[in-house]
Amino acid sequence: MAKLTKEELIKMYSQMVLIRLFESKIGEIYGKGAIPGEMHLSNGQEAIAVGVCANLRADDAVSSTHRAHGHMIAKGVDLKKMTAELFGRKTGLCKGKGGHMHLFDPSIKFGCGGIVGAGMPLAVGSGLAFKRKGLDSVSVVFFGDGAANQGTFHESLNLAALWKLPVIFVCEDNRYGISVTKEMSTAINSNADRAVSYGIPGVAADGNDVAEVYQVTKAAVERARKGEGPTLLEFTTYRLMGHFEGDPEVYKPKEEQEEALRNEPIIRLEKVLTKEYGVNVEELVKIKEARQAEIAEAIKFAETSPWPKPEEALEDVFVEGGVR
Amino acid sequence: MSRILTFAEAISEAMAQEMERDERVFLMGEDVGRYGGIFGTDVGLYDKFGPNRVIDTPISESAFIGAGIGAAMEGLRPIVELMFVDFFGVAMDQIFNHMAKITYMSGGNFSVPMVLRTAIGGGYGDAAQHSQILYSLFAHVPGIKVVVPSTPYDAKGLLISSIRDDNPVMFFEHKLLAGLDWLPFGVKGEVPEEPYTIPLGKADIKRSGKDLTIVTASLMVHRALAAAEKLSAEGIEAEIIDLRSLVPLDKETILTSVAKTHRLLIVDEDYLSYGMSGEIAAVVAEEGLYDLEAPIKRLAVPDVPIPFSHPMEDFVLPNEKKIYAAAKALVQE
Ligand SMILES: Cc1ncc(C[n+]2csc(CCOP(=O)(O)OP(=O)(O)O)c2C)c(N)n1
């Protein structure tokens, strides 16, 4: 595998930092009660979002889960509009109707939802559409190790394999499905092994190493673009936060958390950049500051945006003039 | 002896006592073990009964709800937890075509003595896939009993009855009643320590009155009670019927009340069309029409998914103010 250039890695670092800082800030604001509903953050999982999406073009589709902020940022969302949606404002991506778990943006071909395992069939559908249209676009679906136990996982893999669709199944193994560990819910060690039964490649890799995530995904994307069909990827990582904000996390051993903090992807990448690529620390600080400023601007935009009018609740159930 | 318990504590106590009484009773679902249930309803059970009787399942609702059915057919008495009712779709076939129908299809050769517990309701910005009520959907399919408690006392008694019932029972617990710190509202109330049952199919008159009847269930019982206080200050006395179960439906209590008050308001946190509110209206139109002095009024979610943002969510959900206004308008008709 060719080593990534310094510029490529810096770009990925910058994206990862944006996700981390954004989510930490959102967690803080949520804690004060300014954001409705539940809040699932992806701290610790940034390398997967960024390493995967760095392979994607604007015309590739991404489908995600309840833990979608990172994926959406990595796919290139307008941060202001996304933030406004989290705050329930009219200027948000979905006019305040979707919120944190239901973020949709056709301009970056992105959708997500709160039903575990539900993204996979939809991703099969976009893959099918790309193939029918004769495009070389790919469809990527993110899901957790917990979701890999849903029937939709098995049915979708079979369909995608059978029809040789350009779908990349990206399983993020962050050890937990809420409080239930992977060992308590899945009888095998790696979900990538399940690919065998569908006759497609399955690859297990380190999800805290952004370069590795990038390279492994690259091979899968190339294969899909060439019309050779789907790939199942499983990246091991760790959910540094609770399942949702406010989770008492009584089920998580402390030593495990400490170990995970030592191994988290941003610190790891900083070490690589400074030690192997000769990047100096000030440069990294500058990147962080620039990202902080961007986040502050997005939050200000959201906070000063108008609320939707109550009666707007009645709009969008159906498309206007829905006969074509 | 009674003590004050939260709604969630009452539910957990009902399960604990039934598990002590009957070896065949066990609980399974997502995060019911060490976590104690996302809405706190299973706290203490894992420590008391261990992993063989309080089973954390993978996120595989179709498989574990189906497994509950199979175990029940084999004579066990499973309590299965579906974390939010909104997720029923991933296991709909097991619920609708198997849990509900096996007794009938087998000509009574098999029974399915299982309780499927699930959390319902909105009001805290959890949006379209985590805020639904949907009890009417299950009440529509023959073969499932549908229980919807509103107080800790009712929750314990109705749950014990549901566990002892030889039929499949769906038991709907409103999140805002549970009494968790991170959720608004929450109810506490007196609950006897010893086990007791409340018959399924018997509505409860939570407040008696002479000027109009308000039929409702779950969280909306509390909203209606609050509205009734305000109405009372203005000399309007509302009678509030808490259905407690949609199947069986206590038509008698509703019709008797309407015969007394001559006016009916139905308050439902579910979607308006084709649901509970329509059913109650139809029952009264068919069997009590001549008792009415004004058209029946319904207050429910206006056939839109539950929106995320507060101003819009408030707009679609029934609440104290809307119940007050609707009741007042009805009395003045
Ligand atoms: C069908 C369905 N079942 C249960 C849930 C509740 N739930 C939300 S997230 C979650 C855990 C998901 O675990 P995993 O897929 O590993 O993703 P992670 O949260 O670890 O990112 C559960 C059980 C749901 N949203 N949808």
Side-chain angles (χ1 to χ4, degrees), chain B:
Chain B
M1 252 276 289
S2 284
R3 316 87 344 127
I4 302 291
L5 295 187
T6 65
F7 191 87
E9 285 164 349
I11 284 174
S12 147
E13 183 168 282
M15 288 192 284
Q17 289 178 347
E18 285 306 287
M19 286 172 76
E20 261 155 25
R21 191 182 81 99
D22 185 345
E23 264 296 308
R24 300 169 301 172
V25 178
F26 69 101
L27 170 67
M28 66 177 161
E30 290 155 18
D31 306 281
V32 301
R34 286 176 300 171
Y35 197 105
I38 293 299
F39 298 104
T41 48
D42 315 315
V43 170
L45 298 177
Y46 183 83
D47 290 339
K48 219 180 239 156
F49 299 100
N52 289 330
R53 290 183 74 196
V54 180
I55 306 170
D56 272 323
T57 61
I59 310 167
S60 310
E61 289 86 357
S62 206
F64 73 74
I65 291 176
I69 301 167
M73 290 169 72
E74 205 39 63
L76 296 184
R77 303 188 81 89
I79 306 169
V80 181
E81 187 168 315
L82 172 64
M83 194 181 289
F84 288 64
V85 74
D86 312 71
F87 311 157
F88 82 94
V90 302
M92 186 152 172
D93 177 59
Q94 294 298 330
I95 300 170
F96 272 36
N97 284 323
H98 307 277
M99 189 180 89
K101 296 174 184 161
I102 280 172
T103 301
Y104 186 81
M105 293 188 300
S106 68
N109 286 325
F110 276 104
S111 62
V112 184
M114 151 175 174
V115 180
L116 184 54
R117 294 179 32 244
T118 191
I120 58 172
Y124 63 106
D126 223 8
Q129 297 178 339
H130 286 72
S131 302
Q132 297 173 101
I133 289 286
L134 302 183
Y135 42 45
S136 297
L137 211 57
F138 301 92
H140 181 66
V141 174
I144 311 172
K145 294 193 179 177
V146 173
V147 180
V148 191
S150 70
T151 65
Y153 177 86
D154 287 359
K156 180 173 171 182
L158 290 168
L159 183 52
I160 291 179
S161 297
S162 301
I163 296 168
R164 294 183 190 176
D165 200 294
D166 281 336
N167 294 287
V169 177
M170 285 200 69
F171 196 87
F172 293 83
E173 302 157 13
H174 202 294
K175 287 161 248 169
L176 296 204
L177 295 176
L180 291 186
D181 296 342
W182 56 277
L183 291 171
F185 202 59
V187 291
K188 289 184 179 188
E190 288 215 2
V191 178
E193 248 167 51
E194 60 280 4
Y196 59 95
T197 59
I198 295 173
L200 305 185
K202 190 86 201 77
D204 189 34
I205 300 178
K206 288 278 191 288
R207 183 185 195 282
S208 68
K210 58 178 177 28
D211 298 319
L212 83 154
T213 298
I214 302 180
V215 173
T216 187
S218 190
L219 175 68
M220 289 302 143
V221 170
H222 300 271
R223 303 288 190 244
L225 284 168
E229 284 312 302
K230 256 181 89 183
L231 291 163
S232 179
E234 297 174 23
I236 300 168
E237 299 301 334
E239 177 144 302
I240 295 178
I241 296 182
D242 177 357
L243 287 173
R244 296 202 296 201
S245 67
L246 307 193
V247 180
L249 178 67
D250 183 356
K251 292 183 187 181
E252 201 187 311
T253 298
I254 302 168
L255 291 166
T256 307
S257 175
V258 170
K260 176 169 85 171
T261 66
H262 312 296
R263 284 178 160 78
L264 174 62
L265 168 65
I266 305 154
V267 180
D268 189 1
E269 197 187 320
D270 209 341
Y271 305 122
L272 178 69
S273 300
Y274 301 96
M276 181 267 262
S277 68
E279 181 62 27
I280 306 291
V283 164
V284 173
E286 278 180 348
E287 298 178 39
L289 186 64
Y290 300 117
D291 291 325
L292 289 171
E293 279 171 22
I296 297 167
K297 174 83 192 146
R298 296 192 279 161
L299 193 57
V301 175
D303 296 336
V304 303
I306 310 299
F308 169 73
S309 186
H310 279 323
M312 293 192 287
E313 190 187 32
D314 288 348
F315 181 76
V316 305
L317 292 180
N319 59 30
E320 179 189 328
K321 243 169 73 188
K322 291 180 205 172
I323 298 171
Y324 165 82
K328 196 156 170 184
L330 185 60
V331 171
Q332 286 165 352
E333 264 243 13

